[in-house]
Amino acid sequence: MAFPRTLESETDRPLNIVRNKTMNNLTCNCVSRLDGVSATELERLFPEPSSTAPLLSLLQESGIDGFNLRSIVVSKDDVPILLLPLFECLYDLSSFAKGWTKKSLKAAARLIPSIFHPRILGVGLLEGGWSEIGTDPQIDEDTLEAAWGMALGALQVLATECKSDVVVFYNFDHHVKLPVEVLKKFNRVPWLPCARLPITFNSLEEYLSRLSKAARKDLRRKVRLSNKVRVVRSRNISPYLERIYRLYLETVDRGPTAFSVHNRLFLEKICERVPDAAYTLYFVEEELVAFNLLVVKQEVMVDIFFCMDYELGRKYNLYVLSWLENLRACVEQKIPLYQAGQGAEKTKAHMGATFSPSLILFKHRLTFYDRFLFKHTAVIGKVLSYLGFRPGTDRSTGPDETAQVDRLKAEDCQGINMRLRCCEMEIYDQRS
């Protein structure tokens, strides 16, 4: 699989600092990675129960192949009050297509690279679930509005300096309060919804009893076939690091919408740098065949990713087994919510999950192209689904699962804040 390429000579090019100052002592800096922002300041900007502070710090340290990482930091009296995590890459739209579509996109990229092989300047996180913006929780609304104005101005300056074709707010949910200016002026595309399962049961038997008869029968059968699997929970994976990284790379290579690939240091250091991170390891005859990376807090268990040997994983139904093991741990530790991440919507709905919508907002530097996208959002969404850049319509979903997804869609629509309502946010619909 091809991944975004590192921008030419970007690593050697000195970073120009964007600095502005207002009458209320606000300054705005564009810095490489997290330069000048301490761990204490990160924790204040991304307070608990969020794990973004240590995760972002680790991502900036380990790096991601093909990406340049930056931050826009707005400070008041030299104390950071707003932080936008940034990434920059060259994105090849043909990377995730196949056959004639791939050939057509490659040919188009040679003719119109700004559209089919664009330089992207993104705001958001490349791992850990939904993206977040770091904000001082004590800041008043007027100061925050002024800080956002400076940050967006700096973002535009940086986009011009880097000759970016597209500016993206990547993978946000409705809980993040983005400025009205972004919501009005950027094109919106529904992205991969995030699965979740409230733990409102006291045992796995009670959980299974709430599923449809077909789903209950299917899960019981698959669990019986996995009785040869040994499960180990650990924060020390040094003896298995090579195998874990190989399973990770194989899984990413099979994924239809993988956007980035981590370096080995990320998997090696995450339990050390993120206090609540832990691995669940799955062995068959002493061979490590799968692992699940989790962040386990008292408020929520977050599934970062699950990776497995494809053949053995299917043979022993390891995905289903890992799902049940996670639910068992939530019940035992009285964790009220399992956040199962993005992707595999059909399988997760089959096992009782509901979904929260996600969103990508983007703006192209070519005005005529940007206007076309703004007027044809639904068409663009269908094209992206067809090319495999986000899930398409799932015609094989059963009636029970479809009704369940519909119910959640209605519930989530009620919870979306007024900013997104005013901008007529389109929520991803899984039905045909």
Side-chain angles (χ1 to χ4, degrees), residues 7 58 82 92 184 261 265 295 355:
L7 301 180
L58 175 59
L82 182 69
D92 186 356
K184 286 184 175 180
V261 57
L265 183 64
V295 175
F355 299 87

Side-chain angles (χ1 to χ4, degrees), residues 184-430:
K184 286 184 175 180
K185 295 183 178 180
F186 280 61
N187 304 292
R188 297 174 299 282
V189 175
W191 188 234
L192 299 169
C194 185
R196 62 187 184 184
L197 183 63
I199 309 302
T200 57
F201 42 85
N202 297 313
S203 67
L204 288 184
E205 281 301 319
E206 185 180 349
Y207 157 71
L208 291 171
S209 70
R210 299 183 181 184
L211 301 179
S212 67
K213 182 178 179 181
R216 186 164 60 246
K217 182 179 179 180
D218 179 54
L219 264 62
R220 291 186 189 280
R221 176 183 61 82
K222 289 179 176 179
V223 170
R224 285 196 298 270
L225 294 176
S226 61
N227 57 6
K228 294 183 179 180
V229 180
R230 180 167 63 93
V231 181
V232 176
R233 295 187 179 93
S234 177
R235 288 174 52 82
N236 178 21
I237 51 97
S238 54
Y240 314 106
L241 180 59
E242 292 296 332
R243 175 62 173 165
I244 282 175
Y245 194 57
R246 187 160 64 250
L247 289 172
Y248 165 73
L249 293 178
E250 291 172 357
T251 302
V252 171
D253 192 55
R254 291 193 303 268
T257 56
F259 187 45
S260 61
V261 57
H262 292 295
N263 294 316
R264 188 173 65 172
L265 183 64
F266 177 84
L267 298 174
E268 179 183 2
K269 296 291 186 180
I270 187 167
C271 289
E272 175 185 323
R273 300 292 296 276
V274 181
D276 303 297
Y279 282 88
T280 305
L281 309 177
Y282 296 86
F283 295 85
V284 174
E285 297 179 353
E286 303 307 315
E287 180 185 3
L288 179 63
V289 295
F291 74 90
N292 197 182
L293 178 57
L294 305 162
V295 175
V296 184
K297 294 179 175 290
Q298 192 54 53
E299 300 85 359
V300 61
M301 173 185 284
V302 180
D303 197 323
I304 302 298
F305 43 68
F306 175 80
C307 302
M308 70 180 186
D309 178 285
Y310 184 71
E311 296 299 329
L312 291 174
R314 287 175 60 87
K315 178 179 179 180
Y316 292 101
N317 303 301
L318 294 184
Y319 186 81
V320 171
L321 179 61
S322 72
W323 180 277
L324 295 177
E325 282 295 321
N326 291 340
L327 297 189
R328 188 196 313 276
C330 286
V331 170
E332 292 174 352
Q333 301 176 42
K334 301 186 184 306
I335 298 171
L337 180 65
Y338 173 42
Q339 186 169 304
Q342 296 171 312
E345 286 81 15
K346 178 187 173 184
T347 300
K348 292 172 181 176
H350 180 67
M351 294 190 292
T354 55
F355 299 87
S356 292
S358 300
L359 188 68
I360 288 180
L361 301 102
F362 66 96
K363 187 176 181 62
H364 201 282
R365 66 175 177 83
L366 299 178
T367 305
F368 72 91
Y369 183 63
D370 208 46
R371 288 176 179 172
F372 170 80
L373 293 177
F374 192 82
K375 293 179 180 179
H376 299 85
T377 302
V379 174
I380 299 304
K382 291 179 180 180
V383 172
L384 291 174
S385 297
Y386 178 75
L387 296 177
F389 299 137
R390 68 180 178 90
T393 300
D394 186 357
R395 298 182 180 274
S396 59
T397 301
D400 291 336
E401 289 78 18
T402 300
Q404 183 183 53
V405 172
D406 289 343
R407 285 195 300 272
L408 176 78
K409 182 186 173 187
E411 293 170 2
D412 282 339
C413 285
Q414 295 174 2
I416 293 178
N417 64 54
M418 187 58 67
R419 291 170 181 258
L420 295 181
R421 288 181 186 275
C422 293
C423 291
E424 300 178 348
M425 172 185 174
E426 177 186 2
I427 299 175
Y428 175 70
D429 185 357
Q430 292 195 45

Side-chain angles (χ1 to χ4, degrees), residues 49-67:
S50 171
S51 295
T52 295
L55 188 61
L56 180 59
S57 179
L58 175 59
L59 284 169
Q60 303 280 8
E61 177 186 337
S62 63
I64 304 177
D65 289 346
F67 289 80

Side-chain angles (χ1 to χ4, degrees), residues 73-84:
V73 184
V74 180
S75 301
K76 180 178 175 63
D77 298 323
D78 296 325
V79 177
I81 60 171
L82 182 69
L83 188 150
L84 277 61

